[in-house]
Amino acid sequence: MPVVAAVGTTHPLAFAGVTFAMQVLAREGVRPVCVIAGVSAQDARSVLRRTPLDAATIAAQFDALREAGVGAFHVGALLSTDAVRAVAAGLAAFAGVPVVVDPVLAATGGDPLADDATVAALRDVLLPCATLLTPNLDEAGALLERSVRDLDAMRDAAPALRARGARAVLVKGGHLAGDAIDVVSDDAGVRTFRTPRIANVLRGTGDLLAATIAASLASGATLDDAIVHAHTRVADAIAHGVLFAGTRVAPETR
Ligand SMILES: Nc1ncnc2c1ncn2[C@@H]1O[C@H](COP(=O)(O)OP(=O)(O)OP(=O)(O)O)[C@@H](O)[C@H]1O
Ligand SMILES: Cc1ncc(COP(=O)(O)O)c(N)n1
C-alpha cells in the first residue's frame, strides 16, 4: 500500500488541515503518516489561535519517516517562516518523492494563517520543492504580488509561478462564477480542467483536492489522471456535504 505523508497544521474540527488530509488519504486507499508543523484552534467562523511548532520538532518528525517508504507528500498550511524552512529542509531528504504544496494563507472565514514573512518564505523556500503547487486565486496573487481575478490572469499566473521553481502549478478557479476551471502549467504547457459548478459550498475543498492528488501520484498516476480523479472526488464531496459544527463539510467520516 502506498504511503503518503500529510504535512501541515492541525484543525480541531478536521474539516480542513492536516487532520482532514489524513482522513482523505485513508479514504483514497493509501497509508497516511504525518508531520505536524503547527497547531491551530479554529471553529467554523474564526481562527482563535495558531501556534507553529519549532524547527527541531518538525525536523525530528521528518527523520522518523525515513524508513516509511513515503511515496508522496501533501503540504498544507504552515504558520511561520521557521516552519516553512524546516519543512523545506525535511523534504530535501526525500529526493524524487512527489510533493504537492497547497500554499494555504487564510481560513475561509477570512482570518489569516500566514503573515507576510511566511508568504515570502513559501514563495522563496518552499515553492521550489513543489512537484505541484495548488494555489487558489488569492494565494496565486499573494505569491506573485499582483491581482489574479479571472481566467486570463490564471493563465498568466500558472507559468509565472512555475518560473519561480515549482515543477507544475494548478491555479484553482473555484471562487470564480460559472464552471469550476483550474489552470495547469507544466512541461507540456498550459491547459484548463473544467468541471460543472455544483451549486453548494463546502469547507476544505483545497485540502481535499491536494491530498487526493498526492494519493494518486503515490499510486503511480500521471498528473493529469490524478487531477481528473481529484476533481471527481471534490465534486462528489460538494454534492454530498454534511452539516457539522456550524458549517458544511465533506462526508469523509460518514
Ligand atoms: N462549486 C464547485 N463545484 C465544482 N468544483 C468546485 C466548486 N468550488 C470549487 N471547486 C473545485 O474545488 C477545488 C478547490 O478550489 P477552491 O478554489 O475552492 O480552493 P480553495 O480556495 O483552496 O479551497 P478552500 O475552501 O479549502 O480554501 C478546485 O479544483 C475547484 O475547481
Ligand atoms: C489548518 C488549516 N488548513 C486549511 C484551512 C483552509 O480551509 P477552509 O478554507 O475550509 O477554512 C484551514 N482553515 N486551516
Side-chain angles (χ1 to χ4, degrees):
M1 180 185 279
V3 177
V4 179
V7 181
T9 294
T10 63
H11 188 307
L13 297 170
F15 51 68
V18 69
T19 31
F20 175 57
M22 299 281 284
Q23 297 177 40
V24 173
L25 295 172
R27 181 140 170 187
E28 287 300 312
V30 299
R31 176 179 289 277
V33 296
C34 68
V35 171
I36 305 297
V39 176
S40 79
Q42 46 182 317
D43 57 23
R45 286 172 300 283
S46 52
V47 177
L48 309 165
R49 197 170 172 90
R50 47 189 164 108
T51 307
L53 292 190
D54 61 277
T57 301
I58 295 170
Q61 292 175 79
F62 275 101
D63 288 347
L65 295 185
R66 285 225 170 115
E67 308 295 313
V70 175
F73 287 91
H74 163 254
V75 182
L78 301 173
L79 302 178
S80 70
T81 56
D82 283 354
V84 171
R85 288 178 192 287
V87 167
L91 291 170
F94 294 83
V97 178
V99 180
V100 181
V101 175
D102 188 10
V104 181
L105 302 182
T108 287
D111 287 343
L113 290 164
D115 60 16
D116 289 348
T118 305
V119 176
L122 285 171
R123 176 172 51 232
D124 299 337
V125 181
L126 193 61
L127 194 151
C129 305
T131 309
L132 177 69
L133 183 78
T134 63
N136 65 17
L137 298 174
D138 288 346
E139 292 153 357
L143 291 169
L144 289 168
E145 298 177 286
R146 68 187 196 218
S147 152
V148 180
R149 286 273 131 242
D150 57 28
L151 189 55
D152 283 344
M154 291 166 68
R155 285 186 202 276
D156 290 342
L161 286 166
R162 202 168 153 251
R164 290 183 171 264
R167 292 253 311 280
V169 176
L170 181 155
V171 179
K172 296 173 284 191
H175 297 288
L176 293 176
D179 284 350
I181 301 177
D182 296 347
V183 174
V184 173
S185 171
D186 67 2
D187 280 345
V190 177
R191 57 204 178 277
T192 54
F193 289 77
R194 179 188 294 258
T195 48
R197 170 163 301 276
I198 296 165
N200 228 319
V201 292
L202 192 85
R203 300 296 292 269
T205 50
D207 278 312
L208 177 57
L209 182 83
T212 305
I213 292 173
S216 293
L217 294 179
S219 306
T222 64
L223 179 60
D224 283 35
D225 285 350
I227 292 169
V228 168
H229 171 66
H231 281 149
T232 308
R233 294 286 297 114
V234 169
D236 185 65
I238 297 174
H240 298 104
V242 294
L243 284 176
F244 171 63
T247 192
R248 202 157 173 281
V249 305
E252 295 301 331
T253 54
R254 200 169 51 168

